[in-house]
């Protein structure tokens, strides 16, 4: 399973990278805004700074809603670094853009996936990744993990190469259940990775080891 970090915060990206566990990054316009990044030049420079830290795939989302605009943005974004993946929303024009970019060999991540039909369409159009937002489904009383499972099963049934990128992950249980389901990628905030490395018995055990060593060695 690949681990991506879902943030545009450079220090968090660096921290996850330094842990040695990071395979890529996902961003979106809300995450860029959270970092106070605005204006095309600043946004593109920020993507460059992310790609300087991480050699794995970095999703950069288009903000155009029409096909022509999406393609124009995608062509500019891929010039930033070779590991840029174009993140495109699940709309009619988005689907057409995914098909066109995929035909040109440009990697895409189809975002805002909330049902398996959308995921199947994105795969048919040639998306490299699909991003089901499981936390947001849970927020409205649906079962986000069930969607991840359904998409994974459908893709396996037909040997579909599109990777299931479980997104909107809120806690370690989400991540571990996605791993059990067999999702290809989990993208989550840094805090989920940090929560996952903690266990109180690890802390207690380590304190005991060090105390015993000190007793004998001063
Ligand atoms: O990658 C998708 C993600 O950014 C959405 O997460 O927590 O805003 O639902 P969230």
């Amino acid at each position: 399973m690949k681990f991506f970090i879902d943030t545009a915060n450079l220090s968090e990206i660096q921290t996850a990278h330094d842990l040695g566990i990071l395979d890529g990054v996902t961003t979106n316009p809300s995450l860029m805004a959270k970092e106070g990044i605005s204006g095309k030049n600043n946004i593109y420079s920020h993507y460059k700074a992310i790609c300087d830290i991480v050699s794995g795939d970095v999703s950069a989302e288009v903000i155009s809603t029409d096909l022509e605009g999406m393609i124009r943005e995608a062509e500019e974004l891929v010039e930033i670094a070779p590991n840029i993946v174009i993140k495109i929303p699940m709309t009619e024009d988005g689907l057409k853009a995914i098909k066109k970019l995929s035909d040109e060999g440009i990697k895409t991540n189809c975002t805002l996936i909330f049902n398996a039909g959308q995921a199947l369409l994105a795969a048919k159009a040639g998306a490299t990744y699909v991003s089901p937002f499981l936390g947001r489904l849970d927020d409205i009383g649906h079962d986000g993990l069930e969607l991840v499972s359904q998409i994974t099963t459908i893709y396996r049934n037909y040997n579909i190469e599109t990777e299931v990128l479980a997104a909107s992950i809120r806690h370690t249980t989400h991540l571990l259940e996605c791993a059990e389901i067999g999702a290809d990628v989990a993208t989550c905030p840094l805090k989920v990775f940090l929560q996952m490395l903690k266990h109180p018995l690890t802390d207690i055990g380590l304190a005991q080891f060090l105390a015993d060593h000190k007793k004998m060695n001063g």
Side-chain angles (χ1 to χ4, degrees), residues 6 26-28 31 87 111 131 133 135-136 139 165-170 187 189:
D6 193 34
T26 51
T27 65
N28 63 40
L31 292 171
K87 203 171 183 188
T111 189
S131 291
F133 277 30
R136 290 195 192 181
D139 289 346
L165 193 168
S168 186
I169 287 179
R170 303 277 164 76
T187 190

Side-chain angles (χ1 to χ4, degrees), residues 162-187:
T162 303
E163 294 188 46
V164 180
L165 193 168
S168 186
I169 287 179
R170 303 277 164 76
H171 45 72
T172 57
T173 308
H174 267 161
L175 194 157
L176 292 174
E177 294 204 19
C178 284
E180 282 194 38
I181 289 165
D184 302 284
V185 190
T187 190

